[in-house]
Amino acid sequence: MTGLRARSRFALAAPLLACTACDYRKGALDPASSEALLIHLLWWVFFWVSVFVLSGVLVALALALYRGRARGVAAGSAPEVEPDAELERRTGRAVLAASALSILILLGLLVASVLFGRELFRAPHAPLSVKIVAHQWWWEVEYPGKTSSEHVRTANEVHLPAGVPVELELRSVDVIHSLWIPNLHGKRDLIPGHTNHLVLRPQRPGRYEGRCAEFCGLQHARMELAVVIEPPEVFSHWLERQRRPAPPPGAPDARRGADVFVRGSCSLCHGVTGSEAAASNGPDLTHVASRARLAAGALPNSPLDLRAWISDPQSIKPGAQMPPTALPSAELDDLVAYLETLR
Ligand code: CUA
């Protein structure tokens, strides 16, 4: 039975895997996981059934109008007081048949919806668990390890291995947020004081975008979670690199920058494993330079953007928790040089 289920799951994922090679335009709703594929299929079932019903109604309406005209009731003729008994019987039968068909179609859609829903939330055993904590307005991502050195803390970017079921543990520390990665699954709320779970079977490697789907304050629209699905060996390599502490900076400017980071205000909120900075109020920066974007997707991760973000975050993301950092230009350059070494 288990083998059969596993095979049926594989059959479900096969078109997805086949499509990694084909020239398929990726959109926000193109399924990249078994769950998204189920949602996608159910959507198309509803769509085509609705098209069929609407077409039927329009054809019946056109036919009724045509027949009415063909019967040619002349203007000014006496109203039809005694209806035709045979016509009434036929109309009654047609209404009854249409009602029965409507009930059957609605029942069919209900059954399809329940079956797809059951398959969608039939949680397989997930060998990988990832904790995602929502903050105003960024995502904290944790990969629990057996020892503290295996534990990984990162932000705004989650990497997942293709073909491996993963359980996302979802929490919030402030207000209600909602995680929506349309290519992978439906929405799931992150609620303060309550942990929600979402089990995924990512299939198609690629880079996808997750969004906050519940209004959570001023910067709700700038709360992006980048999702990278990659082959398991690439993922293991990534995780291994993320586990490493930051190496001590070599170049003189980066060394000066590390000093600015630790002695200045940065280390009051941010941590860098391998340095003296151990705070965890803000995103962990141990491998900040390896991430594609800054400030939960608000900026590309380039030295210039990083410099602009550090000196005046409020002009880029008004209301964000990060205060402006007033530093002499040379120290700011050193700080950016240091952060660029954190790959
Ligand atoms: Cu978080 Cu909207």
Side-chain angles (χ1 to χ4, degrees):
M1 187 65 188
T2 324
L4 203 109
R5 269 197 199 140
R7 268 204 298 284
S8 79
R9 285 221 179 98
F10 180 77
L12 194 67
L16 283 177
L17 297 172
C19 239
T20 51
C22 67
D23 184 25
Y24 186 45
R25 202 171 62 87
K26 268 191 205 168
L29 298 174
D30 291 326
S33 70
S34 308
E35 290 72 21
L37 184 63
L38 281 168
I39 295 172
H40 187 77
L41 291 176
L42 184 64
W43 192 87
W44 282 110
V45 167
F46 270 68
F47 176 80
W48 285 115
V49 169
S50 306
V51 165
F52 169 76
V53 171
L54 183 66
S55 310
V57 169
L58 289 179
V59 166
L61 185 67
L63 217 65
L65 286 173
Y66 173 76
R67 280 202 182 157
R69 283 192 153 221
R71 275 169 69 196
V73 182
S77 61
E80 206 179 277
V81 179
E82 201 61 46
D84 179 351
E86 175 56 24
L87 188 65
E88 283 294 291
R89 251 198 311 279
R90 282 219 312 267
T91 310
R93 278 203 295 271
V95 168
L96 206 67
S99 306
L101 190 63
S102 303
I103 290 169
L104 275 179
I105 290 172
L106 286 174
L107 265 178
L109 290 179
L110 178 70
V111 168
S113 179
V114 168
L115 289 180
F116 275 79
R118 267 182 48 178
E119 182 60 31
L120 197 57
F121 291 102
R122 197 210 304 271
H125 167 70
L128 177 67
S129 168
V130 181
K131 290 184 185 176
I132 296 182
V133 184
H135 297 252
Q136 281 174 317
W137 293 276
W138 59 282
W139 306 93
E140 182 182 344
V141 180
E142 274 182 74
Y143 294 78
K146 286 189 198 82
T147 60
S148 62
S149 63
E150 282 186 4
H151 192 91
V152 167
R153 256 188 100 231
T154 179
N156 302 324
E157 194 171 297
V158 61
H159 287 237
L160 302 173
V164 178
V166 53
E167 179 175 24
L168 303 182
E169 205 183 296
L170 307 171
R171 290 188 296 120
S172 167
V173 291
D174 35 47
V175 297
I176 298 177
H177 302 261
S178 180
L179 177 64
W180 189 27
I181 313 162
N183 300 94
L184 299 188
H185 212 306
K187 295 170 191 167
R188 186 54 60 90
D189 281 359
L190 296 93
I191 301 162
H194 175 83
T195 303
N196 263 343
H197 298 265
L198 194 63
V199 177
L200 291 174
R201 287 162 280 179
Q203 303 289 353
R204 189 146 48 107
R207 208 180 165 85
Y208 305 94
E209 233 176 70
R211 289 276 165 189
C212 180
E214 176 87 35
F215 182 71
C216 56
L218 204 54
Q219 293 299 334
H220 154 71
R222 288 210 186 97
M223 202 173 154
E224 182 193 304
L225 177 70
V227 182
V228 182
I229 298 177
E230 47 205 5
E233 58 282 6
V234 179
F235 169 77
S236 304
H237 185 64
W238 174 85
L239 193 62
E240 199 43 58
R241 268 205 336 266
Q242 297 288 315
R243 279 174 180 159
R244 285 184 212 149
D253 57 347
R255 278 210 302 274
R256 287 195 302 271
D259 204 51
V260 171
F261 187 91
V262 174
R263 313 272 163 250
S265 57
C266 310
S267 60
L268 296 178
C269 295
H270 298 282
V272 172
T273 313
S275 80
E276 285 170 45
S280 59
N281 309 333
D284 186 281
L285 300 181
T286 311
H287 296 281
V288 64
S290 74
R291 309 205 273 260
R293 295 182 73 80
L294 292 173
L299 289 174
N301 193 357
S302 75
L304 266 182
D305 289 295
L306 183 57
R307 199 179 193 282
W309 173 249
I310 295 168
S311 48
D312 190 9
Q314 296 300 319
S315 71
I316 295 160
K317 210 167 159 178
Q321 303 282 323
M322 181 157 153
T325 311
L327 282 175
S329 185
E331 287 192 11
L332 200 52
D333 288 339
D334 293 342
L335 183 57
V336 170
Y338 167 59
L339 292 172
E340 287 299 317
T341 67
L342 303 176
R343 301 221 148 256

